[in-house]
């Protein structure tokens, strides 16, 4: 059996100190920042545009959605996909900002940015924060993943997303009896949602059998266990309660966020069956003052089917090892199961701009909270939603971030 | 892919030099902390558990078992198997499994280190015993 992450002595000491640390409510971001604008680029293939241009287009889209202008922006957030980083982007976009953050933790960067933007707004560092993601991996390969001190000791082994997430799935199956059929249900649920999304890359509903019959890419993951590769992007505008209430959009506010990083830690007590979500989740839930039972809709980063299954377990939607049972039989399909997830079709079917899925996870959660998801997948009375993702390589070094949002 | 000639040469640095020097003599080193007694890999000057600088080199027998693996069915260099080995001495490390029928790999299988040449120091891979 896999070890319990909270039972590893060395980790436990840190985790207890960390989680028992009293959060002073006046230092919380709860209710102090609103998501006023959200925009997903409709493109999935953009050979005729530049990457910086796509950033500008999503920035414009999110500001128009909010009813704000570029001149209102005084904070900017971007990650490794932004050409030249914050300095080059602020200049290219013609912004004048007094706060910026270019934290890069792969696909979950934008979930981290959302939390950091809320912190900055709560501290009065800025009042209208813009977060952008865009890129075009179909036209040109994204820059190589940055490496650290481990470089010489790992680079020769050709870690890719496919084989690293495959290793996690292999060990999860070994420890808990998780099956390929159960993983396939995650793709099936995503495809049921994608059929209603006119922009989705893959709109066909698929069956468990379709997934199992798709070619094996890296054992035990089949092609249909893997997300799509798309050009595109998305952006968010985060602002103060006062400004949000002066706008005409439905009110969606942030009530909790957590972030964490997990790696092999010197090779001690290696356990690939859990992610850093076991640490980011409890922090976000504690700050929000809600539990998994309160979550009406969940956006869960679906780089691969196994990513979803592990994160659902780590966030406490089911017990560790029971994710297979939890996702089976359509439990993630809106209107059918208990936990509607990724109602836009997610990264598995709709969109995965620059191989970074965190932004689109937030955007679909905002649509759900506003009541603006497609009517066929809209969750009734969706008042509290969660968006969660990992970035980096799940089975090696990765970050996770959990965001909990509320319709006011 | 182990028989493809172009494995990247370790760049090395003052912190890792003893590891690569030993590797050229076929010795597989890891580090142990004299303060907390815990072993770790890849090697650090300061212990990643207690931050003591009293870390010392120790030679591994180079044997362990497969913690997990995944067989990449296609790549520019052909199929290859990535995975983690848990050394008998304790630490787990990322590697590739080579010189065997990749279809028969199993979690828990016993493996041992094999060195593969580069233009510089050789690199540790693992093969079933
Ligand atoms: Zn130590």
């Amino acid at each position: 059996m896999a070890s319990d992450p909270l039972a590893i002595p060395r980790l436990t000491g840190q985790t207890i100190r960390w989680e028992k640390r009293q959060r002073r409510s006046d230092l919380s971001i709860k209710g102090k920042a609103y998501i006023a604008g959200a925009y997903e680029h409709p493109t999935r293939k953009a050979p005729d545009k530049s990457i910086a241009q796509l950033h500008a287009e999503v920035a414009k889209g999110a500001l128009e959605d909010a009813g704000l202008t570029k001149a209102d922006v005084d904070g900017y957030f971007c990650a490794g996909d932004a050409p030249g980083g914050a300095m080059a982007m602020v200049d290219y976009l013609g912004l004048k900002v007094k706060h910026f953050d270019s934290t890069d933790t792969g696909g979950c960067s934008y979930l981290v940015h959302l939390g950091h933007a809320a912190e900055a707004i709560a501290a009065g560092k800025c009042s209208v924060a813009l977060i952008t993601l865009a890129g075009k991996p179909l036209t040109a390969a994204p820059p190589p993943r940055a490496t650290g001190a481990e470089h010489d000791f790992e680079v020769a082994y050709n870690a890719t997303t496919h084989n690293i997430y495959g290793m996690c799935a292999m060990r999860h199956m070994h420890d808990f009896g998780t099956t390929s059929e159960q993983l396939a249900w995650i793709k099936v649920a995503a495809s049921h949602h994608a059929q209603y999304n006119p922009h989705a890359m893959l709109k066909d509903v698929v069956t468990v059998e379709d997934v199992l019959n798709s070619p094996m890419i890296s054992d035990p993951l089949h092609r249909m266990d893997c997300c799509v590769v798309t050009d595109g992007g998305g952006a968010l505008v985060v602002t103060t309660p006062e400004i949000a209430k002066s706008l005409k959009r439905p009110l969606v506010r942030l009530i909790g966020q957590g972030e964490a990083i997990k790696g092999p830690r010197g090779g001690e007590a290696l356990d690939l069956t859990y992610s850093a979500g076991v640490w980011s989740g409890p922090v976000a839930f504690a700050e929000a003052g809600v539990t998994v039972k309160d979550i009406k809709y969940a956006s869960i980063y679906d780089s691969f089917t196994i990513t979803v299954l592990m994160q659902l377990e780590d966030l406490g939607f089911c017990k560790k090892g029971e994710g297979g049972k939890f996702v089976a039989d359509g439990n993630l399909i809106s209107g059918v199961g208990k936990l509607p997830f990724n109602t836009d079709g997610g990264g598995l079917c709709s969109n995965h701009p620059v191989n970074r899925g965190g932004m689109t996870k937030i955007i679909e959660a905002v649509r759900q909270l506003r009541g603006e998801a497609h009517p066929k997948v809209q969750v009734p009375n969706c008042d509290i939603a969660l968006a969660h993702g990992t970035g980096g390589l799940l089975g090696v070094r990765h970050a996770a971030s959990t965001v909990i949002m509320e319709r006011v | 892919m182990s028989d493809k000639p172009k494995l990247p040469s370790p760049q090395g640095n003052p912190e890792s030099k003893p590891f690569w020097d030993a590797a050229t003599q076929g010795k597989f080193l890891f580090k142990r902390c004299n303060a907390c007694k815990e072993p770790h890999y890849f090697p650090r000057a300061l212990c990643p558990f207690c931050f003591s600088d009293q870390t010392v080199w120790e030679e591994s027998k180079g044997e362990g078992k497969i913690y997990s693996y995944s067989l990449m069915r296609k790549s520019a260099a052909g199929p290859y198997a990535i995975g983690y080995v848990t050394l008998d001495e304790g630490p787990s490390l990322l590697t590739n499994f080579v010189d065997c029928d990749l279809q028969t790999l199993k979690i828990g299988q016993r493996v041992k280190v094999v060195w593969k040449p580069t233009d510089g120091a050789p690199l540790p891979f693992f093969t079933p015993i």
Side-chain angles (χ1 to χ4, degrees):
Chain A
M1 285 293 285
S3 54
D4 173 356
L6 303 182
I8 299 167
R10 199 160 281 105
L11 293 180
T12 305
Q14 289 185 1
T15 306
I16 287 175
R17 279 200 297 278
W18 198 48
E19 289 178 353
K20 287 201 170 167
R21 197 173 290 162
Q22 286 293 315
R23 183 187 290 280
R24 281 172 53 187
S25 59
D26 60 317
L27 294 181
S28 169
I29 58 162
K30 185 175 182 176
K32 292 179 181 167
Y34 284 56
I35 302 172
Y39 179 78
E40 179 181 5
H41 206 297
T43 191
R44 300 294 184 267
K45 193 166 189 191
D48 53 339
K49 294 176 191 289
S50 79
I51 295 174
Q53 177 186 2
L54 288 169
H55 276 267
E57 289 179 1
V58 294
K60 184 174 180 173
L63 286 164
E64 285 177 357
D65 179 56
L68 291 164
T69 70
K70 187 161 74 71
D72 296 315
V73 174
D74 61 359
Y76 179 65
F77 295 70
C78 65
D81 55 281
M87 283 190 287
M89 287 305 305
V90 164
D91 172 61
Y92 172 84
L93 294 170
L95 300 174
K96 184 164 188 296
V97 297
K98 54 187 183 185
H99 193 82
F100 42 85
D101 181 335
S102 49
T103 301
D104 186 27
T105 53
C108 72
S109 300
Y110 320 93
L111 293 148
V112 172
H113 292 165
L114 183 51
H116 291 189
E119 290 166 16
I121 288 166
K125 296 287 184 185
C126 62
S127 56
V128 176
L130 170 69
I131 309 171
T132 66
L133 152 81
K136 31 185 272 177
L138 292 178
T139 314
R145 200 178 295 279
T147 54
E150 77 284 358
H151 182 89
D152 279 348
F153 296 93
E154 296 182 4
V155 71
Y157 307 126
N158 282 321
T160 70
T161 50
H162 306 85
N163 59 31
I164 291 296
Y165 289 66
M167 282 197 304
C168 294
M170 191 72 84
R171 188 69 199 195
H172 203 282
M173 289 176 167
H174 176 269
D175 286 0
F176 303 116
T178 307
T179 66
S180 290
E181 287 79 0
Q182 291 170 333
L183 288 176
W185 269 109
I186 296 166
K187 167 73 172 186
V188 170
S191 77
H192 271 265
H193 299 147
Q195 66 178 316
Y196 304 112
N197 182 349
H199 303 298
M201 183 103 161
L202 306 173
K203 296 187 192 69
D204 292 339
V205 173
V206 302
T207 65
V208 167
E209 207 168 40
D210 290 335
V211 181
L212 300 184
N213 288 337
S214 65
M216 189 66 83
I217 300 297
S218 196
D219 299 59
L221 300 177
H222 301 80
R223 178 174 291 158
M224 286 195 191
D225 286 300
C226 309
C227 57
V228 298
V229 176
T230 53
D231 296 348
L236 299 168
V237 175
V238 191
T239 191
T240 64
E242 295 72 29
I243 292 174
K245 286 169 188 169
S246 75
L247 303 171
K248 296 186 175 67
R249 300 298 277 134
L251 292 172
V252 172
R253 65 180 187 175
L254 200 56
I255 56 173
Q257 186 258 349
E259 61 199 51
I261 290 173
K262 178 176 181 255
R265 292 175 55 99
E268 194 204 43
L270 183 73
D271 187 343
L272 297 191
T273 67
Y274 72 94
S275 74
V278 298
W279 300 315
S280 69
V283 170
F285 278 109
E287 183 166 39
V290 302
T291 73
V292 288
K293 291 191 179 67
D294 299 307
I295 303 298
K296 303 279 178 30
Y297 164 82
S299 279
I300 306 288
Y301 190 7
D302 51 348
S303 49
F304 297 88
T305 52
I306 183 64
T307 326
V308 175
L309 186 144
M310 280 174 53
Q311 292 171 121
L312 288 170
E313 293 176 346
D314 294 341
L315 293 170
F317 286 102
C318 60
K319 285 186 190 151
K320 180 50 66 182
E322 294 182 1
K325 261 183 272 175
F326 185 82
V327 302
D329 304 321
N331 199 38
L332 302 178
I333 300 176
S334 186
V336 175
K338 289 200 182 105
L339 184 68
F341 100 124
N342 299 6
T343 40
D344 57 345
L348 287 168
C349 296
S350 170
N351 197 10
H352 191 215
V354 219
N355 312 328
R356 289 165 172 260
M359 175 64 78
T360 45
K361 296 296 158 292
I362 301 165
I363 293 172
E364 181 66 4
V366 169
R367 289 192 193 107
Q368 281 286 353
L369 291 164
R370 288 173 167 180
E372 293 177 353
H374 190 283
K376 294 280 193 186
V377 298
Q378 175 67 49
V379 175
N381 187 32
C382 186
D383 55 351
I384 298 181
L386 171 147
H388 174 86
T390 58
L393 292 172
L394 188 63
V396 191
R397 291 163 194 86
H398 70 269
S401 181
T402 313
V403 169
I404 301 174
M405 293 159 281
E406 178 183 41
R407 186 191 64 213
V408 181
Chain B
M1 55 161 282
S2 58
D3 47 22
K4 300 287 187 293
K6 276 298 159 195
L7 287 172
S9 310
Q11 300 302 299
N13 59 46
E15 188 181 19
S16 65
K17 186 173 187 297
F19 178 90
W20 298 113
D21 288 349
T24 58
Q25 297 163 36
K27 289 183 180 175
F28 186 48
L29 301 187
F30 62 99
K31 269 211 160 170
R32 189 179 295 279
C33 171
N34 270 342
C36 73
K37 307 299 178 198
E38 292 290 330
H40 72 264
Y41 186 95
F42 58 91
R44 279 89 148 163
L46 301 193
C47 171
F49 307 119
C50 75
F51 245 14
S52 165
D53 60 2
Q54 301 302 304
T55 56
V56 293
W57 295 99
E58 212 170 285
E59 185 176 353
S60 167
K61 292 198 312 288
E63 294 186 8
K65 58 185 183 180
I66 297 177
Y67 170 81
S68 192
Y69 69 97
S70 182
L71 172 54
M72 191 80 167
R73 298 297 183 100
K74 286 182 188 168
S75 85
Y80 67 97
I82 199 167
Y84 276 102
V85 167
T86 303
L87 296 173
D88 291 344
E89 292 87 358
S92 299
L93 59 109
L94 193 68
T95 190
N96 284 169
F97 301 108
V98 296
D99 304 341
C100 64
D101 177 0
L102 298 178
Q103 302 280 351
T104 64
L105 294 170
K106 281 192 174 57
I107 287 176
Q109 190 171 3
R110 297 283 304 167
V111 290
K112 65 175 182 189
V113 71
V114 285
W115 296 96
K116 297 292 175 186
T118 74
D119 290 340
L123 291 164
F125 288 69
F126 283 78
T127 193
I129 294 174

